[in-house]
Amino acid sequence: MPYITRWSAEKTPALHVVATRAGRIGYADERPYDRDSDGVLWTRVPSLPGKGRPEFGSVHALRQQRAMRELLCQVCGRAADRDADGALWLLGEDADDPAFRAADITTTHPPLCLPCALKSVRACPHLRGRYVAVRARRCELAGVRGALYRPGFPAPIAVGVTGVAFGDPRIPWVRAGQLVMRLREFTVTSLERGPVAP
């Protein structure tokens, strides 16, 4: 079972989101661990891996955050595969798209170890249809993906789910559920043969 997958017992409790005097959202009963070291508010969710049924397609916020920060495999939770070309990532992209090869990539999907990457492309319906394996020599946390709020009365109003970069003035109004990583200096690779010629 993928390390970052959420389980049915890991239900998000009812959370009362409020506007704070600091000009950002918070919880009415906010606790110190509800925010990360950058002051971003995170979805509060219990950690009960293996309890209930796996909810494929749903990501556990804290395990995804840990996998991104520590470059852990999103499937097994151990160290992601790294070599001279960098950490291994699988992306649902078109490798032939010129924009893909020219740009930095942002993703909410943590890296993988090679054995789990090989299993994933065989087992995951999304990856079976299309994937690109890349090695990134440089990666940096770029922002968060989560519920964006706007001021409202008597409480802030959720306006949708989006990605927001660190430094964006909207970030104090996001309840984060996933970290976003920017991959730089990446090489398209084959899981079996190594780097792919451009």
Side-chain angles (χ1 to χ4, degrees):
M1 201 53 47
Y3 172 71
I4 65 169
T5 295
R6 194 166 174 169
W7 291 78
S8 58
E10 297 175 319
K11 297 289 183 204
T12 300
L15 300 168
H16 183 64
V17 177
V18 298
T20 71
R21 289 192 171 124
R24 61 188 186 181
I25 58 168
Y27 297 131
D29 65 340
E30 191 166 320
R31 301 169 187 162
Y33 58 81
D34 286 329
R35 293 187 187 276
D36 63 19
S37 58
D38 296 312
V40 176
L41 184 69
W42 279 81
T43 296
R44 190 186 294 166
V45 60
S47 184
L48 301 166
K51 303 288 184 190
R53 294 174 324 284
E55 295 184 343
F56 296 106
S58 293
V59 173
H60 189 274
L62 298 177
R63 290 193 294 273
Q64 187 270 358
Q65 184 184 149
R66 180 173 181 248
M68 286 295 226
R69 288 189 188 281
E70 298 178 28
L71 294 182
L72 302 178
C73 175
Q74 63 176 286
V75 176
C76 68
R78 293 189 290 269
D81 195 76
R82 296 175 103 171
D83 65 15
D85 289 323
L88 177 65
W89 305 76
L90 287 182
L91 309 167
E93 303 285 343
D94 180 359
D96 296 325
D97 180 350
F100 168 76
R101 289 195 181 252
D104 293 340
I105 301 168
T106 57
T107 183
T108 58
H109 301 288
L112 293 103
C113 67
L114 187 56
C116 288
L118 290 166
K119 288 179 200 169
S120 295
V121 297
R122 289 190 299 266
C124 176
H126 174 71
L127 293 175
R128 255 185 275 147
R130 177 176 80 171
Y131 76 90
V132 178
V134 299
R135 295 273 183 182
R137 279 182 290 286
R138 287 182 45 220
C139 53
E140 61 190 39
L141 295 173
V144 295
R145 180 169 173 76
L148 178 64
Y149 288 76
R150 67 173 173 78
F153 183 80
I157 300 165
V159 295
V161 175
T162 190
V164 179
F166 293 127
D168 186 308
R170 299 175 299 163
I171 207 155
W173 291 87
V174 174
R175 182 170 48 95
Q178 296 181 56
L179 276 173
V180 177
M181 185 74 78
R182 177 171 290 113
L183 309 182
R184 297 182 184 271
E185 298 177 20
F186 62 87
T187 304
V188 175
T189 189
S190 165
L191 294 178
E192 287 84 24
R193 296 184 312 274
V196 175

